[in-house]
Amino acid sequence: MASASLKLSIALTCALLLSSACHGLEIGYYKKSCPRVEAIVRDEVKKFVYKNAGIGAGLIRMFFHDCFVQGCDGSVLLDPTPANPQPEKLSPPNFPSLRGFEVIDAAKDAVEKACPGVVSCADIIAFAGRDAAYFLSRLTVKINMPAGRRDGRISNFTEALQNLPPPFFNITQLIASFAAKGLDAEDMVVLSGAHTIGVSHCSSFVSDRLAVPSDINAALASVLRRQCPANPTPANDPTVNQDVVTPNALDNQYYKNVLAHKVLFTSDAALLTTPATTQMVLNNANIRGLWEKKFKKSMVKMGAIGIKTGYQGEIRRNCRIVNRS
């Protein structure tokens, strides 16, 4: 069972989100029905992340991309079918850049062997994102992630475009995008810190950061121009590290990079365009341990977006396809 303080924390988060659906989430939700699930998922994530840190970055990003479209319901995992040829995972915000699907498949297979039909794919994504953060932060970001989400049956290409904030958004658009999901400006700044790991395709930033005047650091811009084609195409769209200083570590270096104008996206640079968000960047860059503490809270808060509980969803047997009616 969750401790009284943890239960109070979740209750306060739910109150902030004004979401009755949040009532179904609980720390240790599978303690009786599948007691080893969190250890099983963590073991699978560890195997992949220690081979390739970028997969860990992909899992954190997958959690974000799942929750912002149809809520945290595993809809980003659904493959195309004749009935639904264009699901979320084929939408430009996700394809071809989103990765880590094989980790979720491996974790789901292992969990199904231990506890058939009990654990949702949505919860596995949440656990995997949490565990990736733990390993990439050198075991310092320990998130108490509640569970109890059920899997959705709807996955729509267009909804991903409509709900996921693109890298060229300005600060007003970013704040509005997060507010629509019950997240405030501080959550937006804190969750942007995940850009301290992983890679980006050149096509995500060349046109609005390198092809026109921008505030990007001149030395970094020069390096990026050597790495990226002037006009990326699907056949020629290399990737570069998002954090040039500590590319494989989940840490607060991102905020130091923002201050030094050594970030890839317009949406990263936008954090310095208002006094309030600039102060948040300064605090996260300079106060030891602050960002990690806030990141844990914002990940839990994000994980409660639009969840399905009870009869609102299902427990998928295969994360890539909905159950037959």
Side-chain angles (χ1 to χ4, degrees), residues 18-31:
L18 302 175
S19 172
S20 60
C22 198
H23 296 160
L25 294 184
E26 182 183 349
I27 302 289
Y29 180 84
Y30 295 105
K31 186 174 182 179

Side-chain angles (χ1 to χ4, degrees), residues 138-158:
R138 302 183 182 93
L139 316 186
T140 61
V141 175
K142 301 177 182 178
I143 301 170
N144 291 307
M145 181 62 70
R149 304 165 188 82
R150 290 175 71 84
D151 298 322
R153 299 174 62 86
I154 297 171
S155 185
N156 185 281
F157 180 101
T158 303

Side-chain angles (χ1 to χ4, degrees), residues 65-137:
H65 281 220
D66 184 41
C67 290
F68 263 58
V69 185
Q70 287 284 330
C72 309
D73 68 347
S75 54
V76 74
L77 302 174
L78 291 172
D79 280 344
T81 65
N84 184 29
Q86 289 193 307
E88 288 170 40
K89 66 164 48 174
L90 295 187
S91 193
N94 296 323
F95 184 81
S97 60
L98 199 62
R99 51 184 174 162
F101 294 107
E102 70 275 25
V103 185
I104 304 301
D105 289 338
K108 178 64 170 175
D109 288 347
V111 169
E112 283 296 301
K113 289 176 183 176
C115 317
V118 172
V119 181
S120 69
C121 300
D123 279 341
I124 290 175
I125 292 178
F127 292 149
R130 173 201 64 185
D131 296 337
Y134 176 67
F135 292 120
L136 291 172
S137 66

Side-chain angles (χ1 to χ4, degrees), residues 296-325:
K296 291 188 284 186
K297 291 181 179 178
S298 291
M299 284 280 279
V300 171
K301 190 174 175 182
M302 182 180 73
I305 296 172
I307 63 161
K308 297 170 177 64
T309 59
Y311 295 105
Q312 296 172 317
E314 63 182 14
I315 304 296
R316 268 184 237 143
R317 290 183 288 272
N318 180 333
C319 289
R320 293 174 176 269
I321 56 175
V322 299
N323 297 338
R324 292 182 180 180
S325 302

